[in-house]
């Protein structure tokens, strides 16, 4: 299944690791919104659209997020650690609503999205840059190109520092 269009909306939140929202079109026929590009420890990666996992309050039956400590509806105390855990013991709080079902497909899509992200980042440095329109509420999250550039420099510096530290520990280990 071919990706036929990727729209990248750059964001510049300082606090979060969110770099961009993407809208991805397959075969000029099927659109997936809310694909995110996240700044990870090994560089940007793609997160498929997901939603919070909910469960039902034992008293009133209304839905609450698994991390909620009290029921939103009736105020019943809830165990904030009730989320089921994955193989590595981490709580499963989100579930992907659209995602590739094999690694080859995931890799192919991620690669194309990251290429589109880099291209958008380059474009954003043009003086006449106009951010793309996604046609949804993510359009509200604009980005200041100068802040993007600054953040990119910060990330490059951090990555370089990290590589330096890795090099040092390898030297020490060897
Ligand atoms: Zn309740």
């Amino acid at each position: 299944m071919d990706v036929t269009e990727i729209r990248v909306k750059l964001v510049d939140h300082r606090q979060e690791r969110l770099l961009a929202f993407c809208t991805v079109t397959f075969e000029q026929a099927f659109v997936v919104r809310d694909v995110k590009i996240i700044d990870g420890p090994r560089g940007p990666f793609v997160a498929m659209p997901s939603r919070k996992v909910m469960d039902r309050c034992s008293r009133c039956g209304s839905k609450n997020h698994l991390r909620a400590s009290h029921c939103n509806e009736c105020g019943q105390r809830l165990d904030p650690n009730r989320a089921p855990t994955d193989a590595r013991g981490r709580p499963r709080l989100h579930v992907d609503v659209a995602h590739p079902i094999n690694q080859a497909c995931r890799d192919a899509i991620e690669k194309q999205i990251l290429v589109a992200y880099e291209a958008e980042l380059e474009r954003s440095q043009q003086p006449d840059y106009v951010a793309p329109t996604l046609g949804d509420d993510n359009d509200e999250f604009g980005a200041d190109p100068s802040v993007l550039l600054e953040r990119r420099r910060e990330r490059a510096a951090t990555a370089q520092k990290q590589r330096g530290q890795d090099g040092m520990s390898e030297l020490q280990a060897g």
Side-chain angles (χ1 to χ4, degrees), residues 18-32:
L18 177 64
L19 301 174
F21 290 107
C22 307
T23 296
V24 182
T25 307
F26 296 88
E27 305 278 333
Q28 294 178 310
F30 193 90
V31 179
V32 178

Side-chain angles (χ1 to χ4, degrees), residues 56-64 70-78:
R56 288 191 182 279
C57 169
S58 60
R59 186 201 277 173
C60 74
S62 58
K63 282 178 164 183
N64 292 284
H70 292 83
C71 174
N72 275 328
E73 193 63 36
C74 73
Q76 159 112 313
R77 267 188 73 97
L78 304 168

Side-chain angles (χ1 to χ4, degrees), residues 23-98:
T23 296
V24 182
T25 307
F26 296 88
E27 305 278 333
Q28 294 178 310
F30 193 90
V31 179
V32 178
R33 293 188 190 281
D34 261 340
V35 175
K36 295 188 184 97
I37 300 175
I38 313 278
D39 185 20
R42 271 174 253 114
F45 68 93
V46 172
M48 292 296 143
S50 64
R51 64 171 175 80
K52 287 177 177 176
V53 179
M54 314 285 273
D55 70 348
R56 288 191 182 279
C57 169
S58 60
R59 186 201 277 173
C60 74
S62 58
K63 282 178 164 183
N64 292 284
H65 180 221
L66 289 179
R67 271 281 163 86
S69 58
H70 292 83
C71 174
N72 275 328
E73 193 63 36
C74 73
Q76 159 112 313
R77 267 188 73 97
L78 304 168
D79 174 9
N81 299 313
R82 66 195 186 283
T85 52
D86 65 13
R88 289 158 73 180
R90 297 171 306 188
R92 284 203 61 199
L93 301 173
H94 296 85
V95 62
D96 289 352
V97 296

Side-chain angles (χ1 to χ4, degrees), residues 73-141:
E73 193 63 36
C74 73
Q76 159 112 313
R77 267 188 73 97
L78 304 168
D79 174 9
N81 299 313
R82 66 195 186 283
T85 52
D86 65 13
R88 289 158 73 180
R90 297 171 306 188
R92 284 203 61 199
L93 301 173
H94 296 85
V95 62
D96 289 352
V97 296
H99 62 94
I101 56 170
N102 63 62
Q103 194 63 39
C105 181
R106 182 174 291 273
D107 290 347
I109 293 172
E110 179 165 65
K111 196 172 166 190
Q112 290 173 83
I113 291 174
L114 292 178
V115 166
Y117 166 69
E118 287 297 330
E120 194 67 30
L121 212 46
E122 290 296 327
R123 261 199 298 280
S124 75
Q125 300 310 313
Q126 309 283 329
D128 56 350
Y129 176 69
V130 178
T133 306
L134 301 184
D136 59 26
D137 53 343
N138 291 335
D139 279 333
E140 287 178 31
F141 299 93

